Amino acid sequence: MRPILLSGHERALTQVKYNRDGDLIFSTAKDQQICVWYAHNGERLGTYHGHVGAIWTVDVDPTSTIIASGSADNTIRLWDIKTGKNLKTWEFPTAVKRVEFNDDGTKLLGVTEKRMGHLGTIVVIDIEVDVDAEQTDEKSLTIVCDESKATVAGWSYLSKYIIAGHEDGSISQYDAKTGDLLYNVPVHELNQPVVDLQWSPDRTYFITASKDKTAKLISAKDLEVLKTYVADTPLNSAALTTKKDFVILGGGQAAMDVTTTSARQGKFEARFYHKIFEDEIGRVRGHFGPLNTVACDPTGKGYASGGEDGYVRVHQFDKGYFDFMYEVERERQNRLAAAATAGGQ
Amino acid sequence: EDADRINSADVAVVEHRRRLLEEWDSWRAMTEEELVEECEIMGVPLDPVAELLKAKSAQVAPDEEERVIE
């Protein structure tokens, strides 16, 4: 797994995101610019300029036409991927910590920060996935989080639910049409914030990462915790691989936060776990600071991590990765192959 | 040698993993089935993006298509 180092940001990375085809990587950082890179060689294709604060989040629509970004300058912006043009800007009373398109790109959610006099909210904006279209000024829905502010949120399968992770370690399921709170479940340790939430390809389940040093695999339909991955460091991000049943966790404590003697470099590693068996199966070293964000290529070919050190590292998986299989997985593969042969005759 | 180590793992561990794998596969099968049913009820395609991409590539001018190939 020879990594490609993407250097272009001058400050800590906040989010990295692949497009659906896995050929482009979008990255945001505290340095106020969004970068887009070719995933296969790390060449920077361009940057998107306009935000005047740290950028916390980015997402790309499923047809790779537009991106949305959220920033500490209290705006969500929409951009034409190809030309870099800022198509639309929506203003909010507080910073925007997370944006996400639904499965067909027609709706965008934004998570706004809680500040004096302002409760945290989740807003929904209807989007025209067309660079020439006039975008609406209006929000189609606002969910107010009066219990504990939302830190992350996303759209379930069929845009049926909005799932949010909260500062108090709980997860909520909202009706995505009405905004009604359907369930709230304390899945992580109390008051250990949920800091990331990423979806399986069909959006029927997702993975959360928390400062409580665990990541959890959760069903979108009933918020049942299916799996728990235990790390030895506070987590910042968790991603699901396709093709293989792995999860990748990123985290680590910044040196200034470490009270014990040495912050060994090992703390700054991407951690691979088996999704079904919950075992840790490997680590990838490289960053010189905590991993703030990890993302998997939706086509299963690699992954990218963004660090507090200002670098994005892109890894293409090698043959060993794809060949790795537990004995019981091999059994299953052989069984399926035998069944296919029998069926084919 | 990873494989050897795993091969020599305790039978109980392997049994446990086999059960976890079966549980996961059956949960996935059930969930996928429910999703297909819900899509049918709502009259929406299982993969809405496939339709969108088809529409998008139909729109794209031929010279642009060539430009994409690098």
Side-chain angles (χ1 to χ4, degrees), chain A residues 20 38 62-65 82 103-104 157 160 202 204-205 221 226 275-277 326 328 331-332, chain B residues 7 14 17-18 20-21 24-25 27-28 31 34-35 38-39 44 47 49 52-53 56 64 70:
Chain A
R20 184 179 155 103
Y38 281 120
T63 63
S64 302
T65 308
K82 233 185 241 174
D103 57 4
D104 64 3
Y157 60 98
K160 194 173 178 181
D202 69 1
T204 57
Y205 65 98
K221 185 182 154 193
L226 304 167
K275 182 170 75 185
I276 300 166
F277 307 130
Y326 277 66
V328 295
E331 271 174 22
R332 176 177 65 174
Chain B
N7 282 337
V14 174
R17 284 186 189 141
R18 198 172 285 134
L20 290 177
L21 194 58
W24 175 260
D25 286 345
W27 183 78
R28 282 303 299 157
T31 307
E34 284 175 1
L35 185 60
E38 274 194 76
C39 286
V44 296
D47 184 358
V49 182
L52 293 173
L53 290 174
K56 192 186 176 186
E64 289 215 56
E70 282 183 311

Side-chain angles (χ1 to χ4, degrees), chain A residues 213-247:
Chain A
K213 305 183 181 178
T214 69
K216 307 238 179 195
L217 202 72
I218 301 170
S219 159
K221 185 182 154 193
D222 50 17
L223 301 191
E224 188 194 344
V225 176
L226 304 167
K227 302 287 172 187
T228 298
Y229 312 98
V230 181
D232 56 357
T233 187
L235 296 177
N236 294 325
S237 192
L240 295 162
T241 63
T242 60
K243 302 272 194 287
K244 301 291 286 183
D245 283 318
F246 299 148
V247 305

Side-chain angles (χ1 to χ4, degrees), chain A residues 217-333:
Chain A
L217 202 72
I218 301 170
S219 159
K221 185 182 154 193
D222 50 17
L223 301 191
E224 188 194 344
V225 176
L226 304 167
K227 302 287 172 187
T228 298
Y229 312 98
V230 181
D232 56 357
T233 187
L235 296 177
N236 294 325
S237 192
L240 295 162
T241 63
T242 60
K243 302 272 194 287
K244 301 291 286 183
D245 283 318
F246 299 148
V247 305
I248 308 176
L249 311 185
Q253 268 171 311
M256 55 189 253
D257 296 336
V258 179
T259 46
T260 50
T261 44
S262 72
R264 73 178 183 96
Q265 205 195 354
K267 292 282 181 197
F268 306 130
E269 294 166 327
R271 294 158 157 80
F272 283 65
Y273 287 69
H274 195 283
K275 182 170 75 185
I276 300 166
F277 307 130
E278 301 169 313
D279 306 329
E280 185 176 338
I281 48 181
R283 294 189 182 191
V284 178
R285 213 173 290 153
H287 284 287
F288 296 102
L291 280 72
N292 290 340
T293 171
V294 289
C296 292
D297 176 347
T299 66
K301 290 199 280 281
Y303 82 98
S305 55
E308 185 68 20
D309 59 9
Y311 291 104
V312 176
R313 299 177 69 88
V314 182
H315 296 78
Q316 309 295 338
F317 296 131
D318 57 20
K319 190 166 178 298
Y321 166 90
F322 290 106
D323 289 346
F324 178 86
M325 232 185 258
Y326 277 66
E327 190 185 340
V328 295
E329 288 182 296
R330 202 169 295 282
E331 271 174 22
R332 176 177 65 174
Q333 190 189 44

Side-chain angles (χ1 to χ4, degrees), chain A residues 198-218:
Chain A
Q198 296 193 28
W199 291 99
S200 69
D202 69 1
R203 298 188 190 232
T204 57
Y205 65 98
F206 56 92
I207 189 166
T208 57
S210 168
K211 292 291 181 190
D212 74 0
K213 305 183 181 178
T214 69
K216 307 238 179 195
L217 202 72
I218 301 170

Side-chain angles (χ1 to χ4, degrees), chain B residues 19-62:
Chain B
R19 195 168 53 76
L20 290 177
L21 194 58
E22 276 165 18
E23 278 174 9
W24 175 260
D25 286 345
S26 65
W27 183 78
R28 282 303 299 157
M30 189 186 71
T31 307
E32 279 167 26
E33 207 173 295
E34 284 175 1
L35 185 60
V36 169
E37 273 172 32
E38 274 194 76
C39 286
E40 279 169 7
I41 292 165
M42 290 173 70
V44 296
L46 194 56
D47 184 358
V49 182
E51 307 287 318
L52 293 173
L53 290 174
K54 229 183 282 168
K56 192 186 176 186
S57 48
Q59 252 179 26
V60 173

